Amino acid sequence: MSSKRRNKKKKNSVLSAVVVIILAAVYLVWGKEDAEPTRSGLIPVELIKTIDGDTIKIKYEGKEQNVRYLLIDTPETSHPRLGKQPFGEKAKERNQELLNSGKLEIEFDIGEKYDKYNRLLAYIYIDGESVQEKLLEEGLARVAYVYPPNTRHLDAYEKAQERAKKAGIGIWTLEDYATDRGFDSDTYSITDKNTETNSKADAEESFKNCTELRKKYPNGVKKGHPAYSERMDGDKDGYACE
């Protein structure tokens, strides 16, 4: 065999080996059907302060800025008009607990980046896990303020909310408390502004008997209502003083 033919054969062998290596690398990166895509678009930030259940202050682009969580709403803790609402403190405490448990990152959607109060609008993550979804799943938030095109995670959030509803936990223990308009502060209010709240006892109302209760609720109240008491549910049907 001539040297020219041997060299050509050697080059073909090297080329074939290179092609095999490249194909193997491509398979490892894209070929596995169960490979999880890498999440992109998350921006590491520094937490400055937890304001309430759906608002925080962070350091972003060298300055401190407030961030309003996209697509969710939690009860108020110190609203100038609404005051303190049931589960407001619980939502704030849980939000702070989550934020202090790992690496904080934010994600923007494709729509407006700021609201009318000049707050950043973002999705919040701790170690890659959605804080919004967690609050919804634990019954401490409702899906709200849905303004397209900022709806990237709406489906997942609605599913998390539905799980909490079915479980009857958090805000969903209070009948008709969470509405499309917000949280019903007229029916479920906290009169003692100095009382820290963290459960449905936040909105507890106490009546001596059914006569007193019916003065405020003529048709009685269902189990889950803050005025409900088992001692006034004589037939144990889940409805007091009907």
mmCIF file with all atom_site columns, all heavy atoms in Angstrom, residues 7 31 62 76 81 97-98 103-104 106 123-124 127-128 133 145 154 173 175-176 179 186 195 224 229 231 241:
data_model
loop_
_atom_site.group_PDB
_atom_site.id
_atom_site.type_symbol
_atom_site.label_atom_id
_atom_site.label_alt_id
_atom_site.label_comp_id
_atom_site.label_asym_id
_atom_site.label_entity_id
_atom_site.label_seq_id
_atom_site.pdbx_PDB_ins_code
_atom_site.Cartn_x
_atom_site.Cartn_y
_atom_site.Cartn_z
_atom_site.occupancy
_atom_site.B_iso_or_equiv
_atom_site.pdbx_formal_charge
_atom_site.auth_seq_id
_atom_site.auth_comp_id
_atom_site.auth_asym_id
_atom_site.auth_atom_id
_atom_site.pdbx_PDB_model_num
ATOM 1   N N   . ASN A 1 7   ? -1.932  7.420  4.346  1.00 0.00 ? 7   ASN A N   1
ATOM 2   C CA  . ASN A 1 7   ? -2.231  8.713  4.969  1.00 0.00 ? 7   ASN A CA  1
ATOM 3   C C   . ASN A 1 7   ? -3.711  9.074  4.828  1.00 0.00 ? 7   ASN A C   1
ATOM 4   O O   . ASN A 1 7   ? -4.339  9.608  5.735  1.00 0.00 ? 7   ASN A O   1
ATOM 5   C CB  . ASN A 1 7   ? -1.369  9.812  4.344  1.00 0.00 ? 7   ASN A CB  1
ATOM 6   C CG  . ASN A 1 7   ? 0.091   9.679  4.746  1.00 0.00 ? 7   ASN A CG  1
ATOM 7   O OD1 . ASN A 1 7   ? 0.391   9.065  5.769  1.00 0.00 ? 7   ASN A OD1 1
ATOM 8   N ND2 . ASN A 1 7   ? 0.989   10.246 3.941  1.00 0.00 ? 7   ASN A ND2 1
ATOM 9   N N   . GLY A 1 31  ? -30.070 14.486 23.676 1.00 0.00 ? 31  GLY A N   1
ATOM 10  C CA  . GLY A 1 31  ? -30.691 13.240 23.260 1.00 0.00 ? 31  GLY A CA  1
ATOM 11  C C   . GLY A 1 31  ? -31.521 12.543 24.312 1.00 0.00 ? 31  GLY A C   1
ATOM 12  O O   . GLY A 1 31  ? -32.359 11.729 23.994 1.00 0.00 ? 31  GLY A O   1
ATOM 13  N N   . GLY A 1 62  ? -28.094 47.854 42.053 1.00 0.00 ? 62  GLY A N   1
ATOM 14  C CA  . GLY A 1 62  ? -27.385 48.800 42.910 1.00 0.00 ? 62  GLY A CA  1
ATOM 15  C C   . GLY A 1 62  ? -28.233 49.680 43.799 1.00 0.00 ? 62  GLY A C   1
ATOM 16  O O   . GLY A 1 62  ? -27.708 50.522 44.536 1.00 0.00 ? 62  GLY A O   1
ATOM 17  N N   . GLU A 1 76  ? -54.101 41.883 53.943 1.00 0.00 ? 76  GLU A N   1
ATOM 18  C CA  . GLU A 1 76  ? -53.332 43.030 54.421 1.00 0.00 ? 76  GLU A CA  1
ATOM 19  C C   . GLU A 1 76  ? -52.868 42.845 55.867 1.00 0.00 ? 76  GLU A C   1
ATOM 20  O O   . GLU A 1 76  ? -53.497 42.137 56.653 1.00 0.00 ? 76  GLU A O   1
ATOM 21  C CB  . GLU A 1 76  ? -54.177 44.303 54.324 1.00 0.00 ? 76  GLU A CB  1
ATOM 22  C CG  . GLU A 1 76  ? -54.640 44.652 52.919 1.00 0.00 ? 76  GLU A CG  1
ATOM 23  C CD  . GLU A 1 76  ? -53.495 45.066 52.019 1.00 0.00 ? 76  GLU A CD  1
ATOM 24  O OE1 . GLU A 1 76  ? -52.414 45.397 52.546 1.00 0.00 ? 76  GLU A OE1 1
ATOM 25  O OE2 . GLU A 1 76  ? -53.688 45.058 50.790 1.00 0.00 ? 76  GLU A OE2 1
ATOM 26  N N   . ARG A 1 81  ? -56.747 51.793 55.080 1.00 0.00 ? 81  ARG A N   1
ATOM 27  C CA  . ARG A 1 81  ? -58.207 51.736 55.088 1.00 0.00 ? 81  ARG A CA  1
ATOM 28  C C   . ARG A 1 81  ? -58.735 50.401 55.595 1.00 0.00 ? 81  ARG A C   1
ATOM 29  O O   . ARG A 1 81  ? -59.674 50.350 56.394 1.00 0.00 ? 81  ARG A O   1
ATOM 30  C CB  . ARG A 1 81  ? -58.755 51.999 53.676 1.00 0.00 ? 81  ARG A CB  1
ATOM 31  C CG  . ARG A 1 81  ? -60.275 51.950 53.578 1.00 0.00 ? 81  ARG A CG  1
ATOM 32  C CD  . ARG A 1 81  ? -60.744 52.360 52.197 1.00 0.00 ? 81  ARG A CD  1
ATOM 33  N NE  . ARG A 1 81  ? -60.221 51.487 51.162 1.00 0.00 ? 81  ARG A NE  1
ATOM 34  C CZ  . ARG A 1 81  ? -60.778 50.320 50.809 1.00 0.00 ? 81  ARG A CZ  1
ATOM 35  N NH1 . ARG A 1 81  ? -61.857 49.879 51.438 1.00 0.00 ? 81  ARG A NH1 1
ATOM 36  N NH2 . ARG A 1 81  ? -60.245 49.592 49.836 1.00 0.00 ? 81  ARG A NH2 1
ATOM 37  N N   . GLU A 1 97  ? -40.285 33.464 56.133 1.00 0.00 ? 97  GLU A N   1
ATOM 38  C CA  . GLU A 1 97  ? -39.648 32.176 56.408 1.00 0.00 ? 97  GLU A CA  1
ATOM 39  C C   . GLU A 1 97  ? -39.079 31.560 55.128 1.00 0.00 ? 97  GLU A C   1
ATOM 40  O O   . GLU A 1 97  ? -37.953 31.061 55.107 1.00 0.00 ? 97  GLU A O   1
ATOM 41  C CB  . GLU A 1 97  ? -40.669 31.231 57.046 1.00 0.00 ? 97  GLU A CB  1
ATOM 42  C CG  . GLU A 1 97  ? -40.113 29.862 57.402 1.00 0.00 ? 97  GLU A CG  1
ATOM 43  C CD  . GLU A 1 97  ? -41.166 28.937 57.984 1.00 0.00 ? 97  GLU A CD  1
ATOM 44  O OE1 . GLU A 1 97  ? -42.369 29.219 57.833 1.00 0.00 ? 97  GLU A OE1 1
ATOM 45  O OE2 . GLU A 1 97  ? -40.786 27.910 58.585 1.00 0.00 ? 97  GLU A OE2 1
ATOM 46  N N   . LEU A 1 98  ? -39.857 31.603 54.069 1.00 0.00 ? 98  LEU A N   1
ATOM 47  C CA  . LEU A 1 98  ? -39.412 31.058 52.786 1.00 0.00 ? 98  LEU A CA  1
ATOM 48  C C   . LEU A 1 98  ? -38.216 31.838 52.243 1.00 0.00 ? 98  LEU A C   1
ATOM 49  O O   . LEU A 1 98  ? -37.233 31.256 51.773 1.00 0.00 ? 98  LEU A O   1
ATOM 50  C CB  . LEU A 1 98  ? -40.553 31.088 51.769 1.00 0.00 ? 98  LEU A CB  1
ATOM 51  C CG  . LEU A 1 98  ? -41.717 30.125 52.016 1.00 0.00 ? 98  LEU A CG  1
ATOM 52  C CD1 . LEU A 1 98  ? -42.897 30.466 51.114 1.00 0.00 ? 98  LEU A CD1 1
ATOM 53  C CD2 . LEU A 1 98  ? -41.284 28.683 51.806 1.00 0.00 ? 98  LEU A CD2 1
ATOM 54  N N   . LYS A 1 103 ? -31.430 30.706 48.438 1.00 0.00 ? 103 LYS A N   1
ATOM 55  C CA  . LYS A 1 103 ? -30.982 31.727 47.482 1.00 0.00 ? 103 LYS A CA  1
ATOM 56  C C   . LYS A 1 103 ? -32.190 32.407 46.830 1.00 0.00 ? 103 LYS A C   1
ATOM 57  O O   . LYS A 1 103 ? -33.040 31.759 46.249 1.00 0.00 ? 103 LYS A O   1
ATOM 58  C CB  . LYS A 1 103 ? -30.103 31.081 46.405 1.00 0.00 ? 103 LYS A CB  1
ATOM 59  C CG  . LYS A 1 103 ? -29.606 32.048 45.337 1.00 0.00 ? 103 LYS A CG  1
ATOM 60  C CD  . LYS A 1 103 ? -28.795 31.309 44.276 1.00 0.00 ? 103 LYS A CD  1
ATOM 61  C CE  . LYS A 1 103 ? -28.319 32.247 43.172 1.00 0.00 ? 103 LYS A CE  1
ATOM 62  N NZ  . LYS A 1 103 ? -27.574 31.529 42.107 1.00 0.00 ? 103 LYS A NZ  1
ATOM 63  N N   . LEU A 1 104 ? -32.247 33.731 46.937 1.00 0.00 ? 104 LEU A N   1
ATOM 64  C CA  . LEU A 1 104 ? -33.360 34.504 46.402 1.00 0.00 ? 104 LEU A CA  1
ATOM 65  C C   . LEU A 1 104 ? -33.071 34.956 44.975 1.00 0.00 ? 104 LEU A C   1
ATOM 66  O O   . LEU A 1 104 ? -32.019 35.529 44.689 1.00 0.00 ? 104 LEU A O   1
ATOM 67  C CB  . LEU A 1 104 ? -33.612 35.735 47.292 1.00 0.00 ? 104 LEU A CB  1
ATOM 68  C CG  . LEU A 1 104 ? -34.619 36.766 46.785 1.00 0.00 ? 104 LEU A CG  1
ATOM 69  C CD1 . LEU A 1 104 ? -36.009 36.142 46.634 1.00 0.00 ? 104 LEU A CD1 1
ATOM 70  C CD2 . LEU A 1 104 ? -34.670 37.959 47.721 1.00 0.00 ? 104 LEU A CD2 1
ATOM 71  N N   . ILE A 1 106 ? -35.271 36.542 41.259 1.00 0.00 ? 106 ILE A N   1
ATOM 72  C CA  . ILE A 1 106 ? -36.512 37.062 40.695 1.00 0.00 ? 106 ILE A CA  1
ATOM 73  C C   . ILE A 1 106 ? -36.552 36.803 39.195 1.00 0.00 ? 106 ILE A C   1
ATOM 74  O O   . ILE A 1 106 ? -35.517 36.589 38.562 1.00 0.00 ? 106 ILE A O   1
ATOM 75  C CB  . ILE A 1 106 ? -36.691 38.563 40.977 1.00 0.00 ? 106 ILE A CB  1
ATOM 76  C CG1 . ILE A 1 106 ? -35.587 39.380 40.278 1.00 0.00 ? 106 ILE A CG1 1
ATOM 77  C CG2 . ILE A 1 106 ? -36.724 38.834 42.475 1.00 0.00 ? 106 ILE A CG2 1
ATOM 78  C CD1 . ILE A 1 106 ? -35.804 40.887 40.362 1.00 0.00 ? 106 ILE A CD1 1
ATOM 79  N N   . TYR A 1 123 ? -41.741 37.461 39.545 1.00 0.00 ? 123 TYR A N   1
ATOM 80  C CA  . TYR A 1 123 ? -41.943 36.152 40.163 1.00 0.00 ? 123 TYR A CA  1
ATOM 81  C C   . TYR A 1 123 ? -40.764 35.938 41.102 1.00 0.00 ? 123 TYR A C   1
ATOM 82  O O   . TYR A 1 123 ? -39.630 36.310 40.795 1.00 0.00 ? 123 TYR A O   1
ATOM 83  C CB  . TYR A 1 123 ? -41.990 35.056 39.096 1.00 0.00 ? 123 TYR A CB  1
ATOM 84  C CG  . TYR A 1 123 ? -43.062 35.275 38.052 1.00 0.00 ? 123 TYR A CG  1
ATOM 85  C CD1 . TYR A 1 123 ? -42.728 35.659 36.748 1.00 0.00 ? 123 TYR A CD1 1
ATOM 86  C CD2 . TYR A 1 123 ? -44.408 35.097 38.365 1.00 0.00 ? 123 TYR A CD2 1
ATOM 87  C CE1 . TYR A 1 123 ? -43.708 35.858 35.787 1.00 0.00 ? 123 TYR A CE1 1
ATOM 88  C CE2 . TYR A 1 123 ? -45.396 35.303 37.407 1.00 0.00 ? 123 TYR A CE2 1
ATOM 89  C CZ  . TYR A 1 123 ? -45.046 35.685 36.125 1.00 0.00 ? 123 TYR A CZ  1
ATOM 90  O OH  . TYR A 1 123 ? -46.021 35.894 35.179 1.00 0.00 ? 123 TYR A OH  1
ATOM 91  N N   . ILE A 1 124 ? -41.023 35.318 42.233 1.00 0.00 ? 124 ILE A N   1
ATOM 92  C CA  . ILE A 1 124 ? -40.013 35.172 43.277 1.00 0.00 ? 124 ILE A CA  1
ATOM 93  C C   . ILE A 1 124 ? -39.670 33.695 43.466 1.00 0.00 ? 124 ILE A C   1
ATOM 94  O O   . ILE A 1 124 ? -40.562 32.846 43.548 1.00 0.00 ? 124 ILE A O   1
ATOM 95  C CB  . ILE A 1 124 ? -40.522 35.747 44.615 1.00 0.00 ? 124 ILE A CB  1
ATOM 96  C CG1 . ILE A 1 124 ? -41.134 37.141 44.405 1.00 0.00 ? 124 ILE A CG1 1
ATOM 97  C CG2 . ILE A 1 124 ? -39.400 35.792 45.642 1.00 0.00 ? 124 ILE A CG2 1
ATOM 98  C CD1 . ILE A 1 124 ? -40.189 38.175 43.820 1.00 0.00 ? 124 ILE A CD1 1
ATOM 99  N N   . ASP A 1 127 ? -34.106 29.065 45.879 1.00 0.00 ? 127 ASP A N   1
ATOM 100 C CA  . ASP A 1 127 ? -33.440 27.844 45.392 1.00 0.00 ? 127 ASP A CA  1
ATOM 101 C C   . ASP A 1 127 ? -34.192 27.248 44.200 1.00 0.00 ? 127 ASP A C   1
ATOM 102 O O   . ASP A 1 127 ? -34.356 26.033 44.072 1.00 0.00 ? 127 ASP A O   1
ATOM 103 C CB  . ASP A 1 127 ? -33.321 26.804 46.514 1.00 0.00 ? 127 ASP A CB  1
ATOM 104 C CG  . ASP A 1 127 ? -32.360 27.250 47.610 1.00 0.00 ? 127 ASP A CG  1
ATOM 105 O OD1 . ASP A 1 127 ? -31.490 28.101 47.345 1.00 0.00 ? 127 ASP A OD1 1
ATOM 106 O OD2 . ASP A 1 127 ? -32.488 26.746 48.751 1.00 0.00 ? 127 ASP A OD2 1
ATOM 107 N N   . GLY A 1 128 ? -34.715 28.127 43.331 1.00 0.00 ? 128 GLY A N   1
ATOM 108 C CA  . GLY A 1 128 ? -35.392 27.685 42.123 1.00 0.00 ? 128 GLY A CA  1
ATOM 109 C C   . GLY A 1 128 ? -36.852 27.306 42.294 1.00 0.00 ? 128 GLY A C   1
ATOM 110 O O   . GLY A 1 128 ? -37.524 26.970 41.326 1.00 0.00 ? 128 GLY A O   1
ATOM 111 N N   . GLU A 1 133 ? -46.219 30.208 44.195 1.00 0.00 ? 133 GLU A N   1
ATOM 112 C CA  . GLU A 1 133 ? -46.939 28.940 44.119 1.00 0.00 ? 133 GLU A CA  1
ATOM 113 C C   . GLU A 1 133 ? -47.071 28.299 45.499 1.00 0.00 ? 133 GLU A C   1
ATOM 114 O O   . GLU A 1 133 ? -48.097 27.707 45.835 1.00 0.00 ? 133 GLU A O   1
ATOM 115 C CB  . GLU A 1 133 ? -46.221 27.999 43.162 1.00 0.00 ? 133 GLU A CB  1
ATOM 116 C CG  . GLU A 1 133 ? -47.039 26.783 42.774 1.00 0.00 ? 133 GLU A CG  1
ATOM 117 C CD  . GLU A 1 133 ? -46.454 26.015 41.609 1.00 0.00 ? 133 GLU A CD  1
ATOM 118 O OE1 . GLU A 1 133 ? -45.672 26.601 40.827 1.00 0.00 ? 133 GLU A OE1 1
ATOM 119 O OE2 . GLU A 1 133 ? -46.774 24.816 41.487 1.00 0.00 ? 133 GLU A OE2 1
ATOM 120 N N   . TYR A 1 145 ? -54.948 40.078 40.199 1.00 0.00 ? 145 TYR A N   1
ATOM 121 C CA  . TYR A 1 145 ? -54.226 41.074 39.395 1.00 0.00 ? 145 TYR A CA  1
ATOM 122 C C   . TYR A 1 145 ? -53.618 40.432 38.141 1.00 0.00 ? 145 TYR A C   1
ATOM 123 O O   . TYR A 1 145 ? -52.415 40.498 37.912 1.00 0.00 ? 145 TYR A O   1
ATOM 124 C CB  . TYR A 1 145 ? -53.166 41.769 40.239 1.00 0.00 ? 145 TYR A CB  1
ATOM 125 C CG  . TYR A 1 145 ? -53.724 42.433 41.471 1.00 0.00 ? 145 TYR A CG  1
ATOM 126 C CD1 . TYR A 1 145 ? -53.413 41.966 42.748 1.00 0.00 ? 145 TYR A CD1 1
ATOM 127 C CD2 . TYR A 1 145 ? -54.595 43.505 41.347 1.00 0.00 ? 145 TYR A CD2 1
ATOM 128 C CE1 . TYR A 1 145 ? -53.959 42.557 43.877 1.00 0.00 ? 145 TYR A CE1 1
ATOM 129 C CE2 . TYR A 1 145 ? -55.146 44.110 42.482 1.00 0.00 ? 145 TYR A CE2 1
ATOM 130 C CZ  . TYR A 1 145 ? -54.821 43.636 43.734 1.00 0.00 ? 145 TYR A CZ  1
ATOM 131 O OH  . TYR A 1 145 ? -55.367 44.226 44.851 1.00 0.00 ? 145 TYR A OH  1
ATOM 132 N N   . LEU A 1 154 ? -49.571 31.617 35.141 1.00 0.00 ? 154 LEU A N   1
ATOM 133 C CA  . LEU A 1 154 ? -50.958 31.654 35.606 1.00 0.00 ? 154 LEU A CA  1
ATOM 134 C C   . LEU A 1 154 ? -51.557 30.267 35.768 1.00 0.00 ? 154 LEU A C   1
ATOM 135 O O   . LEU A 1 154 ? -52.217 29.985 36.781 1.00 0.00 ? 154 LEU A O   1
ATOM 136 C CB  . LEU A 1 154 ? -51.802 32.483 34.640 1.00 0.00 ? 154 LEU A CB  1
ATOM 137 C CG  . LEU A 1 154 ? -53.291 32.626 34.997 1.00 0.00 ? 154 LEU A CG  1
ATOM 138 C CD1 . LEU A 1 154 ? -53.464 33.264 36.372 1.00 0.00 ? 154 LEU A CD1 1
ATOM 139 C CD2 . LEU A 1 154 ? -54.015 33.445 33.926 1.00 0.00 ? 154 LEU A CD2 1
ATOM 140 N N   . THR A 1 173 ? -60.718 28.564 54.683 1.00 0.00 ? 173 THR A N   1
ATOM 141 C CA  . THR A 1 173 ? -61.513 28.095 55.824 1.00 0.00 ? 173 THR A CA  1
ATOM 142 C C   . THR A 1 173 ? -62.610 29.102 56.164 1.00 0.00 ? 173 THR A C   1
ATOM 143 O O   . THR A 1 173 ? -63.545 28.773 56.894 1.00 0.00 ? 173 THR A O   1
ATOM 144 C CB  . THR A 1 173 ? -60.630 27.900 57.073 1.00 0.00 ? 173 THR A CB  1
ATOM 145 O OG1 . THR A 1 173 ? -60.040 29.152 57.452 1.00 0.00 ? 173 THR A OG1 1
ATOM 146 C CG2 . THR A 1 173 ? -59.527 26.885 56.816 1.00 0.00 ? 173 THR A CG2 1
ATOM 147 N N   . GLU A 1 175 ? -65.596 31.184 54.840 1.00 0.00 ? 175 GLU A N   1
ATOM 148 C CA  . GLU A 1 175 ? -66.525 31.160 53.710 1.00 0.00 ? 175 GLU A CA  1
ATOM 149 C C   . GLU A 1 175 ? -66.678 32.538 53.066 1.00 0.00 ? 175 GLU A C   1
ATOM 150 O O   . GLU A 1 175 ? -66.959 33.529 53.743 1.00 0.00 ? 175 GLU A O   1
ATOM 151 C CB  . GLU A 1 175 ? -67.896 30.651 54.172 1.00 0.00 ? 175 GLU A CB  1
ATOM 152 C CG  . GLU A 1 175 ? -68.874 30.430 53.037 1.00 0.00 ? 175 GLU A CG  1
ATOM 153 C CD  . GLU A 1 175 ? -70.190 29.851 53.518 1.00 0.00 ? 175 GLU A CD  1
ATOM 154 O OE1 . GLU A 1 175 ? -70.430 29.843 54.730 1.00 0.00 ? 175 GLU A OE1 1
ATOM 155 O OE2 . GLU A 1 175 ? -70.979 29.401 52.653 1.00 0.00 ? 175 GLU A OE2 1
ATOM 156 N N   . ASP A 1 176 ? -66.486 32.585 51.752 1.00 0.00 ? 176 ASP A N   1
ATOM 157 C CA  . ASP A 1 176 ? -66.640 33.820 50.973 1.00 0.00 ? 176 ASP A CA  1
ATOM 158 C C   . ASP A 1 176 ? -65.715 34.949 51.428 1.00 0.00 ? 176 ASP A C   1
ATOM 159 O O   . ASP A 1 176 ? -65.998 36.127 51.169 1.00 0.00 ? 176 ASP A O   1
ATOM 160 C CB  . ASP A 1 176 ? -68.102 34.306 51.021 1.00 0.00 ? 176 ASP A CB  1
ATOM 161 C CG  . ASP A 1 176 ? -69.065 33.300 50.412 1.00 0.00 ? 176 ASP A CG  1
ATOM 162 O OD1 . ASP A 1 176 ? -68.671 32.599 49.457 1.00 0.00 ? 176 ASP A OD1 1
ATOM 163 O OD2 . ASP A 1 176 ? -70.209 33.201 50.896 1.00 0.00 ? 176 ASP A OD2 1
ATOM 164 N N   . THR A 1 179 ? -62.530 36.807 47.581 1.00 0.00 ? 179 THR A N   1
ATOM 165 C CA  . THR A 1 179 ? -63.437 37.063 46.466 1.00 0.00 ? 179 THR A CA  1
ATOM 166 C C   . THR A 1 179 ? -62.641 37.596 45.269 1.00 0.00 ? 179 THR A C   1
ATOM 167 O O   . THR A 1 179 ? -61.452 37.892 45.378 1.00 0.00 ? 179 THR A O   1
ATOM 168 C CB  . THR A 1 179 ? -64.511 38.100 46.857 1.00 0.00 ? 179 THR A CB  1
ATOM 169 O OG1 . THR A 1 179 ? -63.898 39.393 46.935 1.00 0.00 ? 179 THR A OG1 1
ATOM 170 C CG2 . THR A 1 179 ? -65.135 37.755 48.203 1.00 0.00 ? 179 THR A CG2 1
ATOM 171 N N   . ASP A 1 186 ? -65.355 43.413 55.593 1.00 0.00 ? 186 ASP A N   1
ATOM 172 C CA  . ASP A 1 186 ? -66.580 43.780 56.305 1.00 0.00 ? 186 ASP A CA  1
ATOM 173 C C   . ASP A 1 186 ? -67.105 42.605 57.126 1.00 0.00 ? 186 ASP A C   1
ATOM 174 O O   . ASP A 1 186 ? -67.542 42.758 58.266 1.00 0.00 ? 186 ASP A O   1
ATOM 175 C CB  . ASP A 1 186 ? -67.653 44.231 55.306 1.00 0.00 ? 186 ASP A CB  1
ATOM 176 C CG  . ASP A 1 186 ? -67.271 45.539 54.625 1.00 0.00 ? 186 ASP A CG  1
ATOM 177 O OD1 . ASP A 1 186 ? -66.547 46.336 55.247 1.00 0.00 ? 186 ASP A OD1 1
ATOM 178 O OD2 . ASP A 1 186 ? -67.683 45.744 53.468 1.00 0.00 ? 186 ASP A OD2 1
ATOM 179 N N   . THR A 1 195 ? -53.136 42.939 68.060 1.00 0.00 ? 195 THR A N   1
ATOM 180 C CA  . THR A 1 195 ? -53.055 41.489 68.180 1.00 0.00 ? 195 THR A CA  1
ATOM 181 C C   . THR A 1 195 ? -52.369 40.893 66.965 1.00 0.00 ? 195 THR A C   1
ATOM 182 O O   . THR A 1 195 ? -52.783 41.114 65.838 1.00 0.00 ? 195 THR A O   1
ATOM 183 C CB  . THR A 1 195 ? -54.464 40.877 68.312 1.00 0.00 ? 195 THR A CB  1
ATOM 184 O OG1 . THR A 1 195 ? -55.091 41.444 69.457 1.00 0.00 ? 195 THR A OG1 1
ATOM 185 C CG2 . THR A 1 195 ? -54.378 39.370 68.471 1.00 0.00 ? 195 THR A CG2 1
ATOM 186 N N   . GLY A 1 224 ? -66.607 27.129 59.769 1.00 0.00 ? 224 GLY A N   1
ATOM 187 C CA  . GLY A 1 224 ? -65.560 27.819 59.042 1.00 0.00 ? 224 GLY A CA  1
ATOM 188 C C   . GLY A 1 224 ? -65.687 29.316 59.198 1.00 0.00 ? 224 GLY A C   1
ATOM 189 O O   . GLY A 1 224 ? -64.712 30.050 59.080 1.00 0.00 ? 224 GLY A O   1
ATOM 190 N N   . SER A 1 229 ? -69.583 28.169 66.366 1.00 0.00 ? 229 SER A N   1
ATOM 191 C CA  . SER A 1 229 ? -69.167 27.471 67.584 1.00 0.00 ? 229 SER A CA  1
ATOM 192 C C   . SER A 1 229 ? -69.911 26.151 67.660 1.00 0.00 ? 229 SER A C   1
ATOM 193 O O   . SER A 1 229 ? -71.131 26.105 67.424 1.00 0.00 ? 229 SER A O   1
ATOM 194 C CB  . SER A 1 229 ? -69.479 28.323 68.827 1.00 0.00 ? 229 SER A CB  1
ATOM 195 O OG  . SER A 1 229 ? -69.234 27.567 70.012 1.00 0.00 ? 229 SER A OG  1
ATOM 196 N N   . ARG A 1 231 ? -70.747 24.489 70.172 1.00 0.00 ? 231 ARG A N   1
ATOM 197 C CA  . ARG A 1 231 ? -71.757 24.456 71.262 1.00 0.00 ? 231 ARG A CA  1
ATOM 198 C C   . ARG A 1 231 ? -73.101 25.041 70.809 1.00 0.00 ? 231 ARG A C   1
ATOM 199 O O   . ARG A 1 231 ? -74.131 24.799 71.444 1.00 0.00 ? 231 ARG A O   1
ATOM 200 C CB  . ARG A 1 231 ? -71.240 25.192 72.489 1.00 0.00 ? 231 ARG A CB  1
ATOM 201 C CG  . ARG A 1 231 ? -71.022 26.671 72.295 1.00 0.00 ? 231 ARG A CG  1
ATOM 202 C CD  . ARG A 1 231 ? -70.438 27.321 73.556 1.00 0.00 ? 231 ARG A CD  1
ATOM 203 N NE  . ARG A 1 231 ? -70.116 28.712 73.347 1.00 0.00 ? 231 ARG A NE  1
ATOM 204 C CZ  . ARG A 1 231 ? -71.017 29.706 73.410 1.00 0.00 ? 231 ARG A CZ  1
ATOM 205 N NH1 . ARG A 1 231 ? -72.290 29.429 73.676 1.00 0.00 ? 231 ARG A NH1 1
ATOM 206 N NH2 . ARG A 1 231 ? -70.652 30.959 73.210 1.00 0.00 ? 231 ARG A NH2 1
ATOM 207 N N   . CYS A 1 241 ? -76.919 27.884 64.793 1.00 0.00 ? 241 CYS A N   1
ATOM 208 C CA  . CYS A 1 241 ? -78.024 28.842 64.974 1.00 0.00 ? 241 CYS A CA  1
ATOM 209 C C   . CYS A 1 241 ? -78.836 29.088 63.702 1.00 0.00 ? 241 CYS A C   1
ATOM 210 O O   . CYS A 1 241 ? -79.319 30.184 63.457 1.00 0.00 ? 241 CYS A O   1
ATOM 211 C CB  . CYS A 1 241 ? -77.489 30.192 65.498 1.00 0.00 ? 241 CYS A CB  1
ATOM 212 S SG  . CYS A 1 241 ? -76.514 30.056 67.011 1.00 0.00 ? 241 CYS A SG  1
#
